[in-house]
Every structure is written in C-alpha cells, then in structure tokens.
Amino acid sequence: MKALRFILAGIVFGIVMIKSEAVSWYRIQEMFRFQSFHMYGIIGTAVILGIIAVYIIKKLKIRDIEGELISLPDKDKQWTKYILGGLIFGLGWALTGACPGPMFVNIGYGYLSMIIVVGGALLGTYIYGVLRNRLPH
C-alpha cells in the first residue's frame, strides 16, 4: 500500500509531462536548435524548484519516510567529470529526443520504440558500473 502513492505520483508526473509537451520530440528539437524558449522555461522552473526544495530540506532538517534525517553532501569541486557526464547525457538526449523521465512517459503513451532507448540507457548504465573503477573520479 505504501507504493501506491509513488505509483500515483508517477501517473501525475506522466500527465504533467504530456500536457506540458516536455516529452515531445519536436519541442526537444526546437530547444537544441535554439528556436523556442518552451523547454528552457520548463527546465528553468525545475531547477528553481529544486533549489528551493534543497534549501527547505536543509533549513528545516526534514526527515525521510523512515524517520532518518535527509543528508545532502556537498558536490565535489572537480568540474571536469560533470562536463564530460553532461556531454554524454546531452548527446544521448539529442539523439533519442528524450531524457530518463520522458523515456518512460513515452512508453506509457504508446511509443513502444522507446523500449529500445530505455534498453540503451540501461546498457550504458551497466557499462559505466563495470568501468567505474577505471574512470577518473
């Protein structure tokens, strides 16, 4: 029964993504071609809400579902790994027209070809896990 609220949150997330056109390949293509502000507005709103949420979590010392204090450690100051990771993520996003959330929303919406994209994302994650110890961190 605890999982029900997460399933409902996922359904609401999917509806919001569809209605805001954030899963539209056309909208994502517009963004990468700098032809429309639509996606930048959605991403900017998400970043601002994330900043506010992290501030509230740290300020009010909010606890998780099991009652433990949520701990958000500071990020490492080494920026090269973030640039490289962002480039790889961005290339995948530009090639497939979807980042992780919209991949699953598109499957739910009936675009079954996205199963291949999810498989590729999982394969890439697995390969990273295998090579992690050999990569610079």
Side-chain angles (χ1 to χ4, degrees):
M1 202 59 175
K2 285 184 179 181
L4 181 61
R5 65 179 156 189
F6 297 110
I7 292 170
L8 291 175
I11 291 170
V12 170
F13 175 74
I15 292 170
V16 169
M17 295 296 281
I18 293 293
K19 292 297 182 182
S20 69
E21 296 182 356
V23 296
S24 167
W25 183 86
Y26 179 73
R27 288 290 187 184
I28 293 168
Q29 181 186 34
E30 279 183 333
M31 177 188 68
F32 281 111
R33 291 183 175 187
F34 301 105
Q35 294 174 335
S36 175
F37 181 76
H38 184 86
M39 290 298 290
Y40 293 112
I42 291 172
I43 293 168
T45 302
V47 168
I48 290 169
L49 288 175
I51 291 168
I52 292 169
V54 168
Y55 176 78
I56 290 171
I57 288 170
K58 286 183 174 184
K59 190 73 171 170
L60 300 179
K61 298 181 179 10
I62 294 179
R63 299 183 177 274
D64 65 11
I65 195 167
E66 295 172 358
E68 296 197 24
L69 189 64
I70 296 174
S71 173
L72 300 170
D74 293 333
K75 290 281 187 184
D76 186 8
K77 302 296 184 212
Q78 187 182 21
W79 57 271
T80 53
K81 63 184 176 183
Y82 299 120
I83 297 293
L84 183 60
L87 283 171
I88 293 170
F89 180 85
L91 283 172
W93 191 10
L95 289 171
T96 63
C99 59
M103 287 189 308
F104 292 101
V105 173
N106 277 319
I107 291 172
Y109 203 62
Y111 297 119
L112 298 181
S113 60
M114 278 295 179
I115 293 172
I116 296 168
V117 175
V118 170
L122 291 173
L123 179 64
T125 304
Y126 176 77
I127 290 171
Y128 170 76
V130 169
L131 299 176
R132 185 175 192 276
N133 293 333
R134 297 184 187 129
L135 298 172
H137 283 93

